[in-house]
Amino acid sequence: METTQQEALRERLEKEAAEIVREFEGRVLPEEVHRTFYASVERFSDARIKEFIPLFAGIATRQVLRSGE
C-alpha cells in the first residue's frame, strides 16, 4: 500500500515539475526549474499530509522563479 502511495506522490511531483517547466519555458532553463522545485520538495518533506507536497512545492517554486525574473 505504501509503495502505491509513494508512486502516486512521485507521479504528482513529476507532473507538477513538468507543468512549471512549460510555464517558464523560454525564461528559465528546465534544469533550474527542476533544481528549484526539488529543493522546495525537500523543504516540505516533513509535511504531515504528503499529498500536499506537490502543491506547496509548486507554489514555492513559482515564487522563487518569479522573483528572479
Side-chain angles (χ1 to χ4, degrees), residues 33-53:
V33 172
H34 285 280
R35 188 173 28 257
T36 304
F37 180 74
Y38 285 103
S40 296
V41 169
E42 187 64 31
R43 280 184 37 211
F44 296 107
S45 64
D46 291 338
R48 288 181 4 162
I49 302 175
K50 301 295 185 198
E51 291 81 12
F52 291 136
I53 293 174

Side-chain angles (χ1 to χ4, degrees), residues 2-56:
E2 187 170 322
T3 302
T4 303
Q5 289 176 339
Q6 289 174 344
E7 289 172 3
L9 178 59
R10 189 174 306 117
E11 287 176 13
R12 290 185 60 218
L13 289 169
E14 290 173 4
K15 181 180 176 185
E16 184 69 17
E19 191 173 308
I20 298 169
V21 166
R22 281 191 300 276
E23 186 176 327
F24 285 87
E25 186 175 11
R27 297 181 289 166
V28 180
L29 293 173
E31 297 82 12
E32 181 66 22
V33 172
H34 285 280
R35 188 173 28 257
T36 304
F37 180 74
Y38 285 103
S40 296
V41 169
E42 187 64 31
R43 280 184 37 211
F44 296 107
S45 64
D46 291 338
R48 288 181 4 162
I49 302 175
K50 301 295 185 198
E51 291 81 12
F52 291 136
I53 293 174
L55 173 66
F56 294 150

